[in-house]
Amino acid sequence: MRVDHTPTIFESFNARALKPSQVAKTFVPSRQFERLIRRCHSVVVGPRGSGKTTLLKMLQTPALEAWQHPLADKVRNRVDYTGVFVAADISWSEQLAALGAGHLAEEPRRLLGIAAFTTHTLRSLVKAFIARLPSAERAAVQFRRVELSPDAEATIVREIAREWHLKPSAATFLSLKHSLSARASRVAQIGSQARFLSESYVAEQDFVHLHFRKAASFAIEVFEDVSAEREGKWAFLFDELELAPEWIRRDLLEGLRSTDERFLFKLALSPSVPDLEPLQHSLAASPGHDYEQLPLWYAEKREAYGFCEQLWDAMLEERHIEPKSARQALGRSYFETPVEEWRDSAEGTAYRADSRIGRDFKSLAEKDPTFRSYLIEHGINLRKLSKVPAEERAAALRKVAPLVPLRDFYLRREEEGAAGSQRVRSRKSPSLYAGAESLFAISEGNPRWFIGIVDRLLEGRNIHRKRVPEAVQSREILAAAERFTAMLRTIAVSETSAGLSRGLLSLVEAVGEFLHKEAVLRPFSPEPTGSFTVDSHTPSDLLVAVEQALNAGAFVYIPDDEGQILLQSIRGKRFRLSYLLAPLYGFPLRLGPPASLGRILREVDEKRGRSGQLRLIGAEREELG
Amino acid sequence: MRLPVVKPLTLNARSYDLFVAALGYEERARAAAEQLSSNSVIKYASAFGDRKELSYAENAQWMTDHGFVIEEARSDREFAANIDNALAALGEEDVPKICVDISSMTRARIAIVVEALASDLRGRLYVVDFVYSLGRFNPPPGDRVPNLHVGPVSPAFAGWWSEPERGVAAIVGLGYEQDQALGAIQHVEAADAWAMLPSSREAAYEEAVLEANRTLLDFIPRSRRGTYVVEHPFESFVALESLVEATSRHSNVVIFPFGPKIFCLLSLLVASLHSDVAVWRVSAGGADKALQRYASGVLTGVQVLWQKAVEESGSGPPFSGVEQL
C-alpha cells in the first residue's frame, strides 16, 4: 500500500494537527476571541468542535505573527504576553490513565502521571522560547522576538537543565526540547517496566517531584533575566482540561487565583466537567474578577450568524472562489422572511395572500384543521392577510411563521373520504432545511460543523452555479447530521446497578422525537415545546448521559445567568437539542418553551411500549437527488 | 515488552506443548481445535462466565471429550492470571510450541495473551501459532446497544505519545456495524484516517462492510484505503506494519481493529513493535445479542517468535521469510 500524505478532509475539521501558522491562515476572529486576548485569566467553555483549540492556538507567537487580517495589527498590539500552548486529547488522557496500571500502587502512578504532564508542559514552554528567537525566514511581521546570542542561549539552557534535572547533549533550546521528549519516553518505560522495579523506584526519580508551575517560573525568570526582556507575561494555554486527571485539573483551576504576576492561565473546558464542586472556592467568587468565562456556543441562533458569514467568506477566499454571500449561493431559509417579500410589495409586508408566507399558510390550512382553528380563533382571513394590523400580525402570525412550513412539509393533504387521519411523511426531510440562515443555525456557529458542511458544498461546480441546488445542500446537511450521530453512538455509557443505562444516542433520539411530535403531530400550537429542563430527581445515570450529550454538542445549554456558564450541576438547568439534529428528527430551528426531561422520556417510552418499536433514525437512507 | 518476529504459518496438526482455545457460544470456537489440537500435550480452554447459549454446551462437551482442561474466567483479570499459570505450567522445553486459537476470544483477551507472551517474566522464548477460523457470514444484529468501553484494548496497548501535540491518524480495520468506524474516528478527533477493508472467501462480508461504511468511505479518498486478505494474514501484517511505520513518522497513530479478529491480532503485533501506537476497542461489554458463527472452513494464522529484548538480540526486521509487499 503506497502511503500518501496528501491532507484529507478530516484535517480541516480539526485544529489540533495544524501548526500555529496554518491555523492563522484561515482564522476568523469572533467576539469571543476579542475577549480571550485580554490580559487576564480566561476559561473558554464549549462542546467539541466549537473552536477552543483554534482560539488557544491563535495566542501563540507564530500564529499571531503569521495572521494576516484587517484586525491582526490591532490584536498584536494588544497581546503583550507569550502564549504557551499545552495540547491534550482523549487518546493522551487514556495513556496517562494507563501508566503503570495493574503494576503500580496508586501513589507512584499519580507521581508518574504528574511527571508526564509536567514534562509535556515544560516541553511546550521550551517550544515557546524557541518561537521567541529570530526566525531564519525573517517574516515580514516580527512579533515578540528577542535577540539572543548563542552564549546567552547556552547560559539559559544550562541553568534550566540543572533545575529540571536534564542533561541535554548541547546547550541549545532544541536540545533541551529533545531531552524532554526523551524524558517523556522514559516515563512510559518506567510505567511499562513497573513490575520489575522496587516500590520506591518512582519516588526516587528526582524529576517526578518537579512541579510545572515552579519549574516554569524558574525557567521564565532565567530567560527574562538573560535576554533582558522583562516586558509582558506568559500565558499558559491548556486545552481539553476535562480530559486531564483530576489532580491536574484542580491544580490548574486553582492557578486562576495565582498571585504570580507573570502568569496568565487560559483554560479550555467542556461545559460539564467532573469534580468542579471542590473547586468552588476557586471559581465562585472569581468570574469577571480573577478570570473571564467565555462560552463558545449560541443559545440564540442569530448570535452565530455574523461569525458564520465571516467564516463563509474566508472559506471562499481560501479556495480562490469568486466572492458570493452565503445567501446568494444558498438562498434563503424557509424559516426566514426574505426582505424582498415586504420591501418590494405595495402593501409593504410579506404577509400577503400571494407571498410565499401567504401560500405556506394557505397550504397548511388546507391540510390541518387545528391550524384552521387557530386562524379562526385569531380572526385571521388568509385572503386578507395584508390587512391584519401590525400588532396582531406580530402576535398571531409572525411568531408562528417559522412553524408553518415545517408542519406543512410533513403533513400530506387530507384525502377526501379519509377518516380525518393525516398521513405523515418520513421524518428525515432535510430539503426543508436548505438556505443560508438554516445552515448557520444548523451549524450552531460550531466551526468544525460549519466547515464540514461548507467544504463539501464548495467542491465541484455547484458553487459556481447561480445557486447551490437544495438537493445538494440537503444531502450535505443530512450527511453531517448522520456523521454526528455516528459519533454520539460511539460514546461509552456507564453501567449502573440497575443494568445498562440508556445510551446517549437513544436519549437524544427520544428528545428529538418528542420535539417533532410537539411541532408536527400534536394539534397546532404557536409555541410548541422546544427545550427541556433536567428535574431535580433525575437519576444519576441519566445525568451522566445528559452531561455527555452536552459536552459532545448534542444538547445546548440555555443559561439563565450569563455570568455562570460552567456547570457544577445540571439539575434544574435548561437545554435544547442541537439544530444539527433538526433535519434528522424534524423539529423547528427555534427555541421553544421547556418541558421536563422526565416527562419527555416517559411519554416516548410509553409510546414505544404501546405501538412497538418506533422506526430507528438512520435505519434507512433516503435517496436524495 | 519483547519484540515479536512474525512469520507465515503453514497449518498442520503438529505437536504443541500447549493448545489454548476459548470456550464460547460460537460453533467455530472448536473448529481449530478439531483440526490441530490432537497431538497437543496440554489442551487448555478458557470459558466465559456468562452467555452459555447457542453452541456453548456442544463445544464444552467436545472439549471435555477431547482432553481439554476447561477453566472459567469471569473477568479479564482472572483470564490474565489463568494464562500466566498455563504458561508457567509448561515443562522445561527450551522453546515451547504453543497454539492459540483466537477465533472466539474477545479482543481484550487476545491482547492479554499477546502481552503475557511478550512480557514473560521468566524470559522464555516461545514459538506461537496464532490461528483464526473465519465465521460463515451472518448479518449483523439490527439493534445496537450502547457501548460500555471505548478506549485502549488494554493498558499495555494504550501507546505512548511523547509529542501529544501531533495530529492523530486513525487506522481502522472495517467491520460491518453501521458507521462504527466513522464514529470511532470522530471520537478520537483524528486528523487523518486510513480504512482497511477485509476481503475473504465469504464475499457477503465485503458487501456488508461497504454498505455499513458508506458514509465514511465517502470521506476517505481511495489513496487512503487498503484491502487485506483474511486468508493471508502474514502479508496483511507486513502491509499494516509498513503503513504504521510510515504514518507514525508524522502522526500519533491509533488502530481500531473492527471486523475479523485476525486484524486485531495483527494490530497488537504491530503495536508490540511500535510502542507509541495505540490499539483501541469499542465494545458493548457483552450486552449485545449473542450472534452465532459457524466455521466457514477458512482456517488461517501467523507464527510468532518471541525473542529476547532488542539490546540482547540486536536489531533485525520484524518479519522474515517473505519479501515485503
Side-chain angles (χ1 to χ4, degrees), chain A residues 4-6 9 11 14 48 90-92 95 123 127 184 188 196 240 448 456 483 489-490 492-493 500 621, chain B residues 121 144 147-148 150 158-161 163-165 183 186-187 189 191 214-215 218-219 223-224 226 250:
Chain A
D4 166 14
H5 296 296
T6 312
I9 198 159
E11 198 167 40
N14 197 328
R48 291 185 140 208
I90 196 167
S91 309
W92 193 64
Q95 290 166 0
R123 191 169 165 279
K127 287 174 70 176
F196 304 113
E240 306 238 42
R448 185 177 297 172
R456 304 274 285 186
R483 281 197 302 276
R489 190 179 287 121
T490 300
V493 299
L500 201 60
R621 262 188 179 272
Chain B
L121 287 176
R144 291 267 303 269
N147 291 320
L148 274 187
V150 182
W160 183 257
W161 299 340
E163 294 178 66
E165 66 274 13
Q186 293 178 96
H187 185 70
E189 298 186 288
R214 186 153 40 127
T215 305
D218 202 23
F219 276 90
S223 59
R224 289 278 208 283
H250 55 83

Side-chain angles (χ1 to χ4, degrees), chain A residues 108-122:
Chain A
R109 280 189 68 196
R110 192 186 71 88
L111 285 177
L112 218 49
I114 291 173
F117 178 80
T118 299
T119 303
H120 176 46
T121 303
L122 297 181

Side-chain angles (χ1 to χ4, degrees), chain A residues 128-373:
Chain A
F129 288 159
I130 293 171
R132 293 281 307 266
L133 302 180
S135 69
E137 299 88 25
R138 288 282 170 186
V141 172
Q142 298 282 303
F143 180 67
R144 298 186 65 71
R145 300 275 179 182
V146 296
E147 292 287 344
L148 263 189
S149 66
D151 283 347
E153 182 180 352
T155 301
I156 294 171
V157 169
R158 276 194 289 267
E159 292 283 321
I160 291 174
R162 193 180 57 239
E163 181 69 16
W164 292 359
H165 311 296
L166 288 166
K167 294 188 172 111
S169 56
T172 62
F173 285 126
L174 203 59
S175 190
L176 190 64
K177 181 172 82 90
H178 294 158
S179 60
L180 284 163
S181 298
R183 172 169 290 168
S185 298
R186 177 83 186 115
V187 167
Q189 227 178 9
I190 292 173
S192 69
Q193 292 173 349
R195 76 184 85 179
F196 304 113
L197 306 170
S198 68
E199 276 192 24
S200 58
Y201 183 84
V202 173
E204 287 165 4
Q205 307 307 304
D206 43 22
F207 66 83
V208 304
H209 302 287
L210 277 176
H211 187 281
F212 85 87
R213 267 194 275 150
K214 290 182 184 150
S217 180
F218 175 83
I220 287 168
E221 182 185 349
V222 171
F223 183 92
E224 289 182 341
D225 286 347
V226 174
S227 66
E229 271 279 334
R230 295 186 189 83
E231 296 295 317
K233 298 191 176 213
W234 296 77
F236 284 84
L237 319 166
F238 286 99
D239 201 11
E240 306 238 42
L241 208 51
E242 69 279 359
L243 299 175
E246 185 268 332
W247 24 266
I248 291 174
R249 197 163 50 242
R250 177 192 295 270
D251 193 294
L252 288 174
L253 285 169
E254 285 178 354
L256 295 176
R257 296 179 76 86
S258 164
T259 53
D260 191 329
E261 292 279 318
R262 283 171 306 180
F263 287 176
L264 292 175
F265 289 100
K266 304 226 180 241
L267 314 177
L269 279 169
S270 290
S272 178
V273 178
D275 315 318
L276 268 189
E277 284 182 28
L279 299 161
Q280 284 193 25
H281 70 279
S282 294
L283 295 169
S286 304
H289 298 287
D290 293 337
Y291 74 97
E292 265 212 277
Q293 291 190 29
L294 304 176
L296 292 190
W297 71 88
Y298 303 93
E300 171 50 55
K301 66 182 183 203
R302 284 198 168 75
E303 293 169 1
Y305 285 13
F307 174 70
C308 289
E309 283 166 354
Q310 288 183 66
L311 192 49
W312 168 273
D313 292 341
M315 289 179 75
L316 260 65
E317 188 181 333
E318 196 203 356
R319 288 157 182 76
H320 309 292
I321 296 173
E322 197 182 317
K324 185 195 281 197
S325 74
R327 285 188 187 83
Q328 285 174 304
L330 306 176
R332 282 272 178 182
S333 163
Y334 281 100
F335 301 103
E336 303 283 325
T337 306
V339 66
E340 308 76 46
E341 290 257 350
W342 59 263
R343 186 187 60 202
D344 300 335
S345 73
E347 296 92 336
T349 174
Y351 294 85
R352 312 183 308 279
D354 65 337
S355 68
R356 192 211 71 196
I357 291 178
R359 290 193 297 274
D360 285 345
F361 274 55
K362 179 170 180 278
S363 176
L364 181 60
E366 286 168 355
K367 296 184 182 68
D368 184 356
T370 65
F371 181 60
R372 286 198 297 274
S373 300

